[in-house]
Amino acid sequence: MVQISKSLFGAKIVRFDCPRCKERLRAPLSDAGKSDTCPDCSVKFIVPGIDALNHEKRRSIDEAERKAEETDRKRAEKELKRKAIDEERAAKREKQIEAEKTLAIENENKRRQKQQDLEESNSNKPELPPPLPKEREKQSKRLFVLSTLGCLLSLCLISFIYSVSTKSGAGITDVVRSSGLRSKLKKCVTYGTVNADAYYDSVILTDTVVLDLLDGGSSSARRIDPVHLLLEFSNELNLSTIRTIVLARNGEQRFTIAASEIKPLAASYANGGRPWVFNNLPPTTRTMTGTQRYKEWS
């Protein structure tokens, strides 16, 4: 009796009886139709199951053909979907291009309409003859010169009025740049008791500061109070950016003190060392020609 079954691993096998000893044998179905020998009686025989093997081959071929057809069908469906997507994208792109063309035509029509309206409005205005280039250049130069002269005259007038009213030698520099120095001077404790003014000695440079003692101070002012004012004012200044302090009287410059020499004196004065400062201040004072005005005290 021939029986076709599967092994534990899924392979097809054929079971049959030995034609001589009737021992139950088995062999792979792929060996059907081949010569074999019984392991018990050593008789040779042909492994049965050729029909089952042929049926299995036909089934395998049919299964392979079915899978191939399924694969072709799925590939065709994907191709159809891809073509549909491409056609949809092409239709959208075509609509977008058409919309852009329509928008461009509308913008161009609007631009032309604005240009036409502008030309019509300009045509209704009376035409003025354009100024000649040379005449226009002369007019610009004339306005620049007049405005410059006006500014200079205004500064000179303000400086003259200030100088006459205060007897200060500040002049035009006070009007232009010396407000910061005057603000520092007004912070000094002795200011008011001693009437004074502060300004830069140059219109451009800021390395020389003038401390100008003026008439009109308090009747209670002492002889030492101008020295107090000098040291208080020096302590307010940034002496690292200043080269010289000039001492003036009613606009007349009389003495100079190097900033490097008065700097330690102002620091000591602020820290309470006033007797030492008063003793060491006179030798630092020089005349306008640069000679030492007072010798060291003994």
Side-chain angles (χ1 to χ4, degrees):
M1 180 180 178
V2 178
Q3 183 180 5
I4 306 299
S5 62
K6 287 185 179 180
S7 66
L8 294 176
F9 300 102
K12 292 288 185 70
I13 60 174
V14 57
R15 297 177 185 272
F16 57 93
D17 296 333
C18 176
R20 175 184 289 179
C21 65
K22 305 302 181 181
E23 179 68 21
R24 193 66 174 171
L25 302 176
R26 68 177 182 176
L29 183 60
S30 58
D31 289 346
K34 296 181 181 179
S35 177
D36 200 354
T37 303
C38 178
D40 290 337
C41 63
S42 301
V43 67
K44 290 186 177 181
F45 57 84
I46 300 298
V47 178
I50 188 66
D51 294 337
L53 177 61
N54 293 333
H55 176 73
E56 184 66 22
K57 288 182 179 179
R58 286 195 300 272
R59 191 189 66 77
S60 298
I61 293 172
D62 293 341
E63 182 68 19
E65 290 178 353
R66 186 187 65 78
K67 289 183 179 180
E69 290 177 356
E70 183 68 17
T71 302
D72 293 339
R73 184 183 63 78
K74 290 182 178 180
R75 187 182 296 111
E77 289 179 355
K78 288 184 179 180
E79 184 67 20
L80 290 175
K81 288 182 180 180
R82 186 186 64 78
K83 288 182 178 181
I85 292 173
D86 292 342
E87 290 177 357
E88 184 178 357
R89 289 178 179 176
K92 288 183 179 180
R93 179 57 182 168
E94 187 176 354
K95 289 182 180 180
Q96 183 179 0
I97 294 173
E98 191 66 26
E100 290 176 355
K101 288 181 179 180
T102 304
L103 181 60
I105 293 173
E106 291 177 356
N107 292 336
E108 180 65 19
N109 292 335
K110 290 180 180 179
R111 187 190 66 79
R112 290 180 180 179
Q113 185 63 36
K114 287 183 180 180
Q115 182 68 23
Q116 184 177 358
D117 295 341
L118 181 62
E119 291 176 356
E120 290 179 356
S121 62
N122 291 334
S123 62
N124 296 330
K125 293 181 180 179
E127 294 184 359
L128 297 177
L132 297 176
K134 291 184 178 180
E135 186 65 25
R136 185 166 49 194
E137 185 178 355
K138 289 180 180 179
Q139 186 177 3
S140 300
K141 289 182 178 179
R142 191 180 301 111
L143 290 175
F144 175 75
V145 172
L146 290 175
S147 61
T148 304
L149 289 176
C151 293
L152 292 176
L153 289 174
S154 300
L155 290 175
C156 292
L157 180 60
I158 295 173
S159 302
F160 176 75
I161 294 173
Y162 181 83
S163 300
V164 170
S165 61
T166 63
K167 295 184 180 180
S168 171
I172 194 171
T173 58
D174 174 78
V175 179
V176 178
R177 297 183 305 154
S178 299
S179 59
L181 294 176
R182 188 171 292 105
S183 298
K184 293 180 180 180
L185 181 64
K186 290 180 180 179
K187 293 180 181 179
C188 299
V189 177
T190 316
Y191 180 79
T193 303
V194 178
N195 188 22
D197 191 14
Y199 48 87
Y200 292 112
D201 188 45
S202 172
V203 178
I204 300 176
L205 302 179
T206 59
D207 60 348
T208 301
V209 175
V210 179
L211 179 61
D212 197 352
L213 301 180
L214 306 176
D215 294 336
S218 175
S219 60
S220 61
R222 304 167 298 172
R223 288 181 176 272
I224 196 66
D225 284 339
V227 179
H228 283 288
L229 181 62
L230 169 63
L231 293 168
E232 291 168 357
F233 180 59
S234 299
N235 194 48
E236 292 288 337
L237 296 174
N238 183 7
L239 295 175
S240 60
T241 62
I242 298 173
R243 181 174 56 87
T244 306
I245 296 178
V246 176
L247 302 179
R249 174 66 172 163
N250 290 329
E252 181 184 354
Q253 297 184 1
R254 296 186 178 182
F255 304 106
T256 64
I257 302 176
S260 59
E261 292 182 337
I262 201 171
K263 184 176 182 179
L265 299 177
S268 179
Y269 179 87
N271 293 325
R274 296 185 178 184
W276 179 84
V277 174
F278 293 151
N279 288 336
N280 289 275
L281 177 63
T284 63
T285 307
R286 298 182 179 276
T287 63
M288 298 306 296
T289 59
T291 58
Q292 190 175 16
R293 181 64 180 84
Y294 302 102
K295 297 181 180 180
E296 295 183 1
W297 290 5
S298 61

